[in-house]
Amino acid sequence: MKLRTWGYLLRETAHGIRTGRLMALASVSTVAVSLLVLGLFLALVLNLGRMMAQVESEVQIRAFLVDARQAAGGGRGGSGMWGTPGTGPSQAGQGGATRPAGTSGGQGSAAGAAGPSGAQEGAAVPAAPDVARLEEQIRNLEGVTTVRFVSKQEALERMRQSFGERAAILEAVDDINPLPDSFEVQVARPEQVAPVAEAIAAMPGVAKVDYKRDTVDKLFRLTAVLRGLGVVVAVLLVLGSTVVISNAIRLTVFARRREVAIMKLVGATDWFIRWPFVLEGLALGVGGAALAVGALAGAYWWAAGVAARTLPFLVLVEPEEVVRLTWAPLLGLGALVGSLGSGISLRRFLHV
Amino acid sequence: MGQAFCVLAGCSAGTVSAVIEFYGVTKVYPNQVTALRDIDFQVGRGEFVFVVGPSGAGKSTLVKLIYREELPTRGRLLVAGRDVTALRPGQVPYLRRSIGVVFQDFRLLPNKTVFENVAFAMRVVEASPREIARRVPQVLEMVGLADRARAYPDELSGGEQQRVGLARAIANSPSVLLADEPTGNLDPHTGLEILRLLLDVNRMGTTVIMATHARHLVNVARRRVVELDAGRLVRDELRGGYGHEA
């Protein structure tokens, strides 16, 4: 088509929208409200995703080691399997030397500190797990990024700190410290948590393995439900908007049936006749979507502000990020709804 | 066929090309009404033909078939040598650009001026603004409405409105002009004016087919008359009157 033809078609489109002002307003606001609801769903899912990533990144496997005292009490034999007394300290020292600097120093010293005590106890009851070898084995598992040894003394110290003023009640257990030694293991990717945890659990000397599987699983399920719900809501709203737009276009077609008849009569091409209606549908859809993006930005900015004041521990996705991620899909959906709506009306009411 | 046509049209073989050719055309509407039965006739380039007959004889259907508003149920129909039944939908607009149509009810756009009504027909086939500015006054002059260009249709008399309709029909310089009862809503005197304009258009080389039951106009013009009755072609006369009973 020629350039001036496009100018003409655009003028006709504007004329069509003006002619059906009320219906155009109804369509634009329906599209806007529908896409706003959809946008809020998207924002919710985005935030859940962010939350999940956070929980996942914090996912830590805690592997509790068999307590030497308990092991001895239980009369577990096979000391050779768990390493011989005396090798603990030396291996821990080796590990400290070969591991790169950084956390290794602390770990090395922790292991070193634990070594003697383990060795001492081991001397009496030969059942202490070989901490250094276990650490090495865990470190060699696929996906493991850091391994940190937490001695039973350190665990008790942590508990004491978390108890704060009421730490005095722990004095009762000071001597017999019932907390076991443990490893804190981090993995590179969330999906590696489960296999790594299983592998560690299977290692000799490991009594129990724990990680926040439940939290992650619950968030996963919630997100899946919300996504599904969002899709259903989106489909319904898109259908509704399509019907409303198709109605608006139908009215325009009806208002201009004389023009259309004459256009056909004198030999206007089908697309010349269709374009103003298609463009009108597109304008209504995209216009509604633009309003929805604006309203979403405003609503989310406000809600995020309120949330930041009342729930400061929640780390929400920034409003800019929400707009950046949602404007294109929403405008695209608006365009889709618009062209679909006009398409339906043109098929049914404009026999060119 | 061509032989019979030339005998009727009074031409010598080989010098005339038919612009509209009906070969055994039958039209049955979806409601089982048979509007036309086995119609055979041809119209040569530059001819003026009246299609007459009582209401419901099939005159309007015949006109609609030519500009492909309707498709024949059976038979072949050629317009300017092209089989309209074989046209792809995308080609129909281009067929229609070679055909102008005038209706009994004028079919003007009430919210556009006389000038805009005529210009509209040119604009939608993507004529240039310069072409429109040149051609519209020309056709308005031809139908005698040069001074009413800014008027709206409801400010015009019926005869004037039909002249606007005629101006619009010829604006894109079609080679065939179809008129379906163009004087049906006009008094006899005004009808005669419209007929004179149609004869003028014909004189300039445009083939004109006029469906009518205005007896006096047919008898005045003394042109070729094709008579339909209940969908059958019952008469094809070179310089006919409206009918034997006239």
Side-chain angles (χ1 to χ4, degrees):
Chain A
M1 297 228 181
K2 297 166 188 164
L3 196 62
R4 66 160 178 278
T5 299
W6 283 109
Y8 172 79
L9 294 177
L10 285 175
R11 280 197 301 280
E12 288 299 299
T13 304
H15 180 71
I17 293 172
R18 272 199 310 278
T19 312
R21 274 187 293 285
L22 212 61
M23 203 57 207
L25 196 70
S27 335
V28 168
S29 37
T30 308
V31 174
V33 169
S34 303
L35 293 183
L36 174 62
V37 170
L38 191 64
L40 290 173
F41 253 98
L42 280 175
L44 201 58
V45 168
L46 279 177
N47 272 299
L48 275 171
R50 158 75 60 98
M51 242 182 260
M52 220 158 60
Q54 210 169 8
V55 171
E56 276 170 353
S57 73
E58 284 166 5
V59 161
Q60 214 175 35
I61 304 166
R62 287 184 70 96
F64 299 98
L65 303 191
V66 175
D67 196 307
R69 251 192 306 269
Q70 283 170 5
R76 305 238 322 241
S79 61
M81 217 169 91
W82 290 351
T84 49
T87 56
S90 76
Q91 276 191 352
Q94 262 182 8
T98 50
R99 261 180 259 129
T103 56
S104 64
Q107 283 176 335
S109 65
S117 78
Q120 274 163 17
E121 281 167 347
V125 192
D130 184 339
V131 168
R133 228 176 69 199
L134 266 177
E135 183 170 347
E136 200 54 40
Q137 282 177 345
I138 294 172
R139 191 176 300 282
N140 285 338
L141 290 174
E142 198 186 324
V144 171
T145 51
T146 61
V147 182
R148 189 177 182 285
F149 179 75
V150 180
S151 67
K152 50 195 295 162
Q153 289 83 358
E154 195 182 344
L156 186 65
E157 195 50 44
R158 279 191 192 174
M159 189 173 268
R160 190 169 281 140
Q161 274 169 17
S162 69
F163 273 41
E165 290 171 4
R166 286 165 296 166
I169 58 169
L170 289 176
E171 279 169 22
V173 296
D174 238 3
D175 293 338
I176 51 164
N177 185 3
L179 300 172
D181 289 337
S182 65
F183 282 111
E184 288 177 356
V185 181
Q186 301 248 327
V187 293
R189 291 201 305 275
E191 64 268 24
Q192 290 167 330
V193 169
V196 166
E198 272 172 43
I200 296 174
M203 288 176 185
V206 175
K208 187 170 180 271
V209 172
D210 216 7
Y211 61 95
K212 295 185 195 160
R213 167 190 265 160
D214 286 356
T215 319
V216 174
D217 282 357
K218 271 181 198 152
L219 275 177
F220 250 128
R221 256 175 280 143
L222 184 60
T223 308
V225 166
L226 270 177
R227 284 211 177 113
L229 199 63
V231 167
V232 171
V233 169
V235 167
L236 288 178
L237 293 176
V238 161
L239 283 181
S241 309
T242 306
V243 168
V244 175
I245 288 191
S246 125
N247 247 317
I249 302 302
R250 191 179 77 172
L251 287 186
T252 311
V253 170
F254 186 72
R256 322 189 74 188
R257 61 195 183 285
R258 284 204 188 89
E259 274 101 327
V260 169
I262 290 164
M263 286 162 96
K264 285 198 274 185
L265 194 66
V266 298
T269 57
D270 290 353
W271 273 107
F272 187 95
I273 298 172
R274 285 187 194 122
W275 267 119
F277 300 112
V278 173
L279 290 178
E280 183 179 342
L282 268 178
L284 297 181
V286 173
L291 280 181
V293 171
L296 174 66
Y300 187 81
W301 181 79
W302 174 79
V306 170
R309 276 194 302 279
T310 54
L311 307 164
F313 53 87
L314 267 184
V315 185
L316 294 180
V317 180
E318 302 74 31
E320 296 78 26
E321 184 76 354
V322 168
V323 172
R324 192 178 68 77
L325 287 173
T326 55
W327 74 268
L330 289 185
L331 284 188
L333 218 53
L336 181 75
V337 162
S339 40
L340 216 63
S342 49
I344 290 170
S345 271
L346 295 191
R347 267 184 77 92
R348 291 186 53 193
F349 304 106
L350 186 68
H351 301 288
V352 293
Chain B
M1 272 322 156
Q3 199 59 37
F5 158 68
C6 274
V7 168
L8 287 166
C11 61
S12 56
T15 60
V16 147
S17 55
V19 68
I20 292 164
E21 303 161 72
F22 281 75
Y23 298 113
V25 171
T26 294
K27 175 64 186 178
V28 182
Y29 283 107
N31 60 6
Q32 300 307 314
V33 171
T34 302
L36 292 175
R37 289 169 203 272
D38 203 23
I39 299 294
D40 267 304
F41 84 106
Q42 290 75 37
V43 178
R45 199 169 290 283
E47 263 197 283
F48 190 112
V49 181
F50 286 112
V51 178
V52 302
S55 296
K59 304 191 294 293
S60 284
T61 298
L62 189 136
V63 169
K64 282 178 183 165
L65 288 177
I66 295 171
Y67 71 92
R68 205 184 174 281
E69 174 74 17
E70 297 288 348
L71 276 170
T73 311
R74 277 190 297 280
R76 247 155 57 87
L77 169 53
L78 307 182
V79 174
R82 305 184 71 180
D83 189 346
V84 299
T85 55
L87 283 182
R88 283 184 282 109
Q91 296 173 315
V92 173
Y94 301 97
L95 167 78
R96 289 188 180 158
R97 288 178 194 192
S98 64
I99 301 171
V101 191
V102 177
F103 297 96
Q104 179 172 4
D105 56 1
F106 320 138
R107 301 202 186 170
L108 302 179
L109 299 173
N111 55 345
K112 289 189 192 296
T113 63
V114 167
F115 185 96
E116 288 164 347
N117 263 283
V118 178
F120 181 74
M122 297 185 69
R123 198 171 287 137
V124 299
V125 297
E126 300 181 68
S128 72
R130 185 184 303 171
E131 177 73 2
I132 292 170
R134 187 187 66 79
R135 178 70 175 160
V136 176
Q138 193 183 333
V139 290
L140 287 180
E141 176 73 42
M142 219 191 112
V143 300
L145 285 175
D147 55 339
R148 307 302 318 263
R150 288 175 199 286
Y152 285 88
D154 61 1
E155 299 166 356
L156 302 177
S157 70
E160 286 172 321
Q161 288 187 46
Q162 188 58 297
R163 283 191 273 162
V164 178
L166 179 57
R168 183 182 64 197
I170 61 175
N172 290 323
S173 309
S175 56
V176 175
L177 180 66
L178 305 175
D180 190 4
E181 301 275 7
T183 63
N185 280 353
L186 306 174
D187 63 73
H189 175 72
T190 315
L192 200 59
E193 283 178 5
I194 297 298
L195 175 66
R196 289 218 174 88
L197 285 173
L198 289 173
L199 288 167
D200 284 347
V201 170
N202 175 244
R203 209 164 291 130
M204 289 186 294
T206 307
T207 308
V208 178
I209 296 176
M210 175 171 164
T212 186
H213 50 227
R215 190 178 301 269
H216 67 289
L217 296 183
V218 178
N219 291 336
V220 163
R222 287 284 141 190
R223 294 301 182 107
R224 180 177 171 194
V225 174
V226 170
E227 184 174 345
L228 296 177
D229 189 19
R232 289 181 198 285
L233 197 155
V234 295
R235 180 163 65 106
D236 187 349
E237 221 176 334
L238 202 51
R239 292 193 180 280
Y242 186 84
H244 300 299
E245 70 273 35

